[in-house]
Amino acid sequence: MSFTNTQGVHPVRRLTTRQVSVLFMFITAILVLLAVHIARRDVVLTVDGDSRVVSTFSHTVAAFLAEENIIVGADDVLSFTPEEKLRNNMHIELKRAFPVAVTVDGAEKTALLAQGTVHDVLDKLGIMLGELDRVEPGLETILQRGDSVDVIRVEKQLVTMRTDIPFREIRRGNQSLDRGVSRVLQSGTAGLREDTVEITLENGEEVSVKVLQSEMIRAKQDRVVEFGENTVLSRGGRTVNFTRVFQFTATAYCAGTAQSGCPIDENGHSRCTGKYNNAITATGRKAVAGTGREDNPHIVAVDPKVIPLGSRLYIDGYGFAIAADTGGAIKGSKIDLLLGSHESARRFGRRKMRVYLLP
């Protein structure tokens, strides 16, 4: 007898042992791959601005850093705590500390800082700022690798200072005074000013002085001098032009010869002219006393630095003269008048004389 399967049901087919083994291995491989995929994490690691993606099976930040042989220093800044659990696509950032040199009070100090401002590094070094102190760069400046900081100690001092105010000399011409003559109409006195100044010191060195208050203690008084402008001399009914007048101390001398009565020592030297007793002046002119007339002028010894040799002169009370001689003792405002005899020269003595320099 035969039976017909009217519902189309196929009989169950059993797997062989080999087939079951292959299936088990396939499922296991799928599960392992799935587990690996779940356990692996892609982490973005940035160290001092350099970023890279790292695949890791580590579970914590600390384990990941150890796996990468990265040691975090005490002053470094890490974006997560070491105990933080790793997550896929986690971004871990590490900023390495760098040295910042701070110059303060004449010394240099160094602090390690991974991030922060000038204020942070001063706080880390325990540097206190005074009310007037300043820093370069400014306190809120964010520091970068290679930066340094200068602390400028600022001090202000109030000082009272007294200053002399020099007087001027005011010169006024006077036609009634001879040229070369001057007189003081008003003596000069320096003024005195008292200033209160603010001195600013930076690191002990003066950088500015500011006057806060000034008071005149004594006003200055200018010196007023009147000087002569007259160049015309009127004597004996005639006028003589001159360039300037001198006030000289005058003495007299003789020709130094035996004929003039001048004492001569055992060396043949004259008391008046020393060894130069040959009756010849320094300019080669004969040492013969004149009369004071314009055609027979007196001979005088002068200091050539004051009156050039050969100059024509007029001596008040003595008449015309010529600067034709010199003398060892005739320096500056001195003049020596040649007289005809030693006795007259001796009696002459020492006198103040006005001497006019003629053109």
Side-chain angles (χ1 to χ4, degrees):
M1 177 182 289
S2 62
F3 296 92
T4 302
N5 187 349
T6 59
Q7 298 182 5
V9 178
H10 298 283
V12 176
R13 186 178 176 186
R14 293 181 177 275
L15 297 175
T16 65
T17 302
R18 175 180 172 78
Q19 289 175 328
V20 170
S21 177
V22 170
L23 180 61
F24 177 77
M25 291 176 64
F26 176 76
I27 294 174
T28 300
I30 294 298
L31 291 176
V32 168
L33 290 174
L34 182 62
V36 168
H37 178 74
I38 294 174
R40 188 181 67 184
R41 299 167 181 85
D42 290 331
V43 176
V44 178
L45 175 63
T46 300
V47 178
D48 288 337
D50 293 331
S51 298
R52 56 191 175 94
V53 177
V54 181
S55 295
T56 180
F57 292 99
S58 298
H59 294 286
T60 65
V61 172
F64 171 69
L65 294 177
E67 179 184 307
E68 294 296 313
N69 296 318
I70 294 175
I71 299 175
V72 180
D75 296 292
D76 296 342
V77 173
L78 188 63
S79 57
F80 296 97
T81 62
E83 297 80 16
E84 187 85 18
K85 298 293 185 181
L86 280 184
R87 301 182 300 277
N88 195 39
N89 295 324
M90 192 176 192
H91 187 180
I92 299 174
E93 185 175 6
L94 175 64
K95 294 182 179 180
R96 295 289 192 190
F98 53 86
V100 178
V102 179
T103 302
V104 58
D105 299 328
E108 185 176 286
K109 300 182 178 182
T110 302
L112 290 174
L113 188 74
Q115 63 182 15
T117 63
V118 171
H119 183 277
D120 295 328
V121 79
L122 295 183
D123 186 60
K124 189 168 187 177
L125 290 172
I127 297 173
M128 305 295 293
L129 295 179
E131 181 180 355
L132 301 176
D133 294 346
R134 60 185 179 85
V135 291
E136 294 178 356
L139 284 174
E140 301 306 320
T141 302
I142 297 175
L143 293 169
Q144 305 291 333
R145 187 179 298 274
D147 286 348
S148 60
V149 177
D150 288 326
V151 177
I152 296 96
R153 299 296 191 190
V154 181
E155 179 185 0
K156 292 186 182 293
Q157 298 176 349
L158 289 180
V159 178
T160 300
M161 303 172 62
R162 289 196 170 188
T163 305
D164 287 330
I165 309 300
F167 61 84
R168 296 182 305 154
E169 180 172 282
I170 300 173
R171 295 176 60 83
R172 298 174 180 169
N174 187 336
Q175 286 287 348
S176 65
L177 285 179
D178 292 337
R179 181 179 291 176
V181 175
S182 63
R183 60 188 179 190
V184 177
L185 300 182
Q186 176 178 284
S187 352
T189 305
L192 183 63
R193 186 185 69 226
E194 185 176 84
D195 297 325
T196 300
V197 300
E198 180 185 73
I199 300 175
T200 302
L201 305 174
E202 291 189 355
N203 290 335
E205 294 186 3
E206 182 180 301
V207 294
S208 68
V209 177
K210 180 181 180 182
V211 178
L212 302 179
Q213 179 181 341
S214 289
E215 179 182 358
M216 191 63 70
I217 304 299
R218 181 179 65 246
K220 73 178 178 68
Q221 177 177 281
D222 291 332
R223 171 186 169 95
V224 180
V225 178
E226 193 174 56
F227 62 94
E229 293 181 332
N230 176 54
T231 59
V232 179
L233 175 66
S234 297
R235 293 292 185 272
R238 65 172 293 187
T239 59
V240 178
N241 292 325
F242 66 93
T243 57
R244 65 168 299 177
V245 64
F246 298 92
Q247 188 75 19
F248 280 157
T249 298
T251 54
Y253 71 109
C254 68
T257 62
Q259 291 80 3
S260 68
C262 188
I264 305 296
D265 63 19
E266 65 276 9
N267 296 317
H269 295 172
S270 161
R271 176 181 295 180
C272 287
T273 60
K275 62 181 180 179
Y276 303 103
N277 58 351
N278 56 1
I280 302 296
T281 65
T283 59
R285 190 184 185 103
K286 287 186 178 181
V288 178
T291 62
R293 297 194 314 268
E294 192 167 6
D295 61 350
N296 187 22
H298 292 291
I299 291 176
V300 293
V302 297
D303 182 350
K305 293 181 179 178
V306 179
I307 295 180
L309 289 173
S311 297
R312 296 172 61 244
L313 308 171
Y314 186 88
I315 304 174
D316 246 356
Y318 287 85
F320 292 93
I322 186 166
D325 208 354
T326 60
I330 307 305
K331 301 296 181 186
S333 58
K334 292 181 180 180
I335 193 170
D336 213 7
L337 178 63
L338 177 65
L339 296 181
S341 69
H342 180 75
E343 181 59 24
S344 59
R346 186 187 65 81
R347 289 197 306 266
F348 185 88
R350 187 179 298 270
R351 308 177 188 183
K352 291 291 185 181
M353 303 179 70
R354 289 169 72 86
V355 178
Y356 295 85
L357 179 63
L358 305 183

